[in-house]
Amino acid sequence: MLTPKGRGTLSETAFQAMRSSSPVWRDVLRTLPDDDDDLHITLWALHELHYRGFEDVDDALEWQPELIELRRSLEHSFEQTLRDRAPETWPDDPDFAETFFTFVADHDGPSLAGHVQRDADHEQVLELLRMRSIYHLKESDPTAWVVPRLPVRAKAALMELQFDEYGCGDPNRLHAALFARGMDECGLRPEYGAYIDDVPLEVLEENNAMSLFGLNRRLRGASLGHLAAFEVTSSIPSRRIAQGLTRLGLPAAMVEYYTEHVEADAVHEQLAVRTICGSLLDDEPQLRDDMFFGAFTCLDLEDRFARRMLEAWAA
Amino acid sequence: MSGHDDHPDVILCAGGPMLLRGDHVIEDADGTQHRTVRPISAVCRCGKSASQPWCDGTHKLIPKQRRP
Ligand code: FES
């Protein structure tokens, strides 16, 4: 993958320096983002240096102090935004699993899955798949950063879930690979990050939140709360999407990606809430608020994305 | 406490499925056998799943008092 297109002064300056053989980091650190799009494409690219990187950027820049400084300042501002959007208090019933499932169930938002199931046309579904590809082609990777930061029981529990996400050792069953095969059969580009220049702010925010939570040890509670909310809101919508794709006659490989998630995530939601978050809270009860913060962020960012797409489609 | 007590093979989830660790063959009410395909499987206990015998999350759509 090459560096994305800049979306403003900061991203243009930063990406140019990242590609340059004699970068002037001072200019990068002096530049402020023009707007949220500019901030988030820059942050997305800085995070990407820790995943698979860019063909036009030296791998050594992953730990370039000025880029880390920039990443920290953008992350700080984004985290503040996310915390400002969140409620001030969280449910504090002692039964965590029950409380968490209820918290997610009570959250009411617009449904992209319902639109895909019943009304979306072919073009809208392909657009949605392009947007989703930014995450699904690195599915579970942001959560993998959390593994070494956990105490024994939560670590074993997270690995039990991740093992399934990563195909139980079979590259053909790795969820990101299933999605790539589906993209290919739909005539879309299956390469990692291929559609980054096409995605709106809301998709960048969803992806950046996962990386922010995954890459910062102090936010491990938020990362796992996000994971749990993601899994709890996956089975039923995945079935609706699979039905919509079947209605439109999309290729079997893409339908299978979603049907795989119906049963897989019915297991994963129980694991994420009970054995992962539940056991972590036994060991580190102070992470409870951040778990709800992560869960809220997951639900809220998906609402924002859904509203954006439904408005654009006048649905 | 032995490590075993922390790591059961079968977990009954309140209001939801039964989780099964490991490889099993399940015979449903019609006598059809289903082999597990993942390291942990969720067996439906509410009777409403469309993917019997596996849980598909549908139990969350039934009123709390009527869940398993
Ligand atoms: S227990 Fe989950 S659908 Fe029946």
Side-chain angles (χ1 to χ4, degrees):
Chain A
M1 173 175 49
L2 297 172
T3 41
K5 280 204 191 84
R7 298 190 184 197
T9 323
L10 175 64
S11 47
E12 275 156 21
T13 313
F15 298 167
Q16 199 177 21
M18 283 156 63
R19 290 188 298 255
S20 159
S21 51
S22 49
V24 186
W25 298 118
R26 210 176 342 112
D27 292 351
V28 177
L29 289 179
R30 267 204 220 125
T31 310
L32 291 173
D34 295 341
D35 55 19
D36 285 345
D37 255 307
D38 192 20
L39 184 158
H40 279 284
I41 193 69
T42 309
L43 184 54
W44 184 84
L46 292 172
H47 283 151
E48 185 52 38
L49 296 178
H50 299 285
Y51 291 95
R52 315 250 323 252
F54 301 101
E55 287 155 52
D56 51 352
V57 175
D58 183 351
D59 286 344
L61 293 189
E62 180 182 358
W63 298 106
Q64 181 68 29
E66 291 86 352
L67 291 179
I68 300 290
E69 187 179 337
L70 176 61
R71 190 189 112 198
R72 278 174 55 95
S73 95
L74 302 181
E75 282 184 341
H76 177 80
S77 136
F78 182 36
E79 184 179 346
Q80 204 49 56
T81 303
L82 294 177
R83 293 207 183 262
D84 289 345
R85 288 174 185 169
E88 273 168 23
T89 55
W90 304 107
D92 57 1
D93 199 281
D95 180 345
F96 174 74
E98 180 64 26
T99 311
F100 191 91
F101 278 116
T102 306
F103 174 77
V104 176
D106 288 349
H107 182 97
D108 211 8
S111 165
L112 277 175
H115 178 66
V116 171
Q117 180 186 27
R118 292 182 304 270
D119 304 313
D121 65 28
H122 199 259
E123 215 20 72
Q124 290 171 349
V125 168
L126 293 186
E127 188 180 3
L128 181 63
L129 295 173
R130 289 196 293 271
M131 306 285 146
R132 293 290 194 211
S133 71
I134 304 304
Y135 176 62
H136 288 331
L137 294 173
K138 63 163 77 154
E139 192 162 317
S140 302
D141 291 350
T143 319
W145 301 117
V146 184
V147 176
R149 292 149 182 194
L150 296 175
V152 170
R153 285 187 305 161
K155 179 184 283 179
L158 178 56
M159 282 312 298
E160 196 170 40
L161 184 152
Q162 292 285 81
F163 186 59
D164 199 28
E165 290 281 343
Y166 286 132
C168 305
D170 178 354
N172 301 304
R173 288 196 50 212
L174 189 119
H175 284 179
L178 292 178
F179 192 78
R181 200 174 318 134
M183 291 287 279
D184 197 30
E185 289 201 10
C186 289
L188 298 169
R189 293 171 58 194
E191 318 92 69
Y192 182 84
Y195 292 106
I196 191 63
D197 289 332
D198 302 340
V199 304
L201 172 65
E202 289 77 4
V203 173
L204 295 176
E205 283 197 338
E206 287 189 306
N207 281 271
N208 289 347
M210 287 187 267
S211 297
L212 165 72
F213 295 160
L215 281 168
N216 288 276
R217 181 167 54 85
R218 72 185 166 82
L219 295 174
R220 60 198 178 284
S223 179
L224 297 182
H226 184 291
L227 167 76
F230 196 99
E231 299 288 358
V232 171
T233 51
S234 177
S235 291
I236 296 172
S238 290
R239 168 164 332 266
R240 292 189 175 136
I241 293 176
Q243 286 167 345
L245 300 187
T246 306
R247 171 177 65 79
L248 291 165
L250 268 90
M254 196 44 108
V255 178
E256 273 159 29
Y257 170 84
Y258 284 98
T259 47
E260 159 70 12
H261 281 74
V262 175
E263 283 163 29
D265 292 347
V267 181
H268 293 178
E269 67 177 347
Q270 300 296 340
L271 296 179
V273 175
R274 296 173 195 279
T275 64
I276 299 174
C277 289
S279 75
L280 182 57
L281 283 182
D282 289 343
D283 290 327
E284 304 191 87
Q286 79 284 4
L287 297 179
R288 197 176 199 276
D289 282 0
D290 261 4
M291 264 176 206
F292 279 101
F293 166 58
F296 172 83
T297 298
C298 173
L299 303 171
D300 180 58
L301 291 178
E302 178 59 17
D303 288 351
R304 288 165 191 268
F305 173 61
R307 267 197 297 275
R308 163 96 182 209
M309 299 309 286
L310 293 172
E311 262 165 37
W313 297 332
Chain B
M1 185 164 56
S2 79
H4 220 77
D5 299 329
D6 286 304
H7 196 65
D9 300 320
V10 178
I11 302 174
L12 300 179
C13 301
M18 169 173 73
L19 300 184
L20 271 185
R21 285 197 164 98
D23 191 16
H24 301 275
V25 176
I26 302 196
E27 187 171 290
D28 66 22
D30 303 330
T32 312
Q33 297 196 339
H34 306 262
R35 180 173 280 283
T36 55
V37 294
R38 52 190 80 252
I40 301 203
S41 310
V43 180
C44 174
R45 294 199 299 149
C46 76
K48 301 288 183 209
S49 167
S51 315
Q52 296 292 345
W54 316 118
C55 167
D56 67 354
T58 303
H59 60 267
K60 287 183 286 185
L61 303 178
I62 43 190
K64 273 192 186 163
Q65 332 59 274
R66 297 200 354 239
R67 291 184 202 166

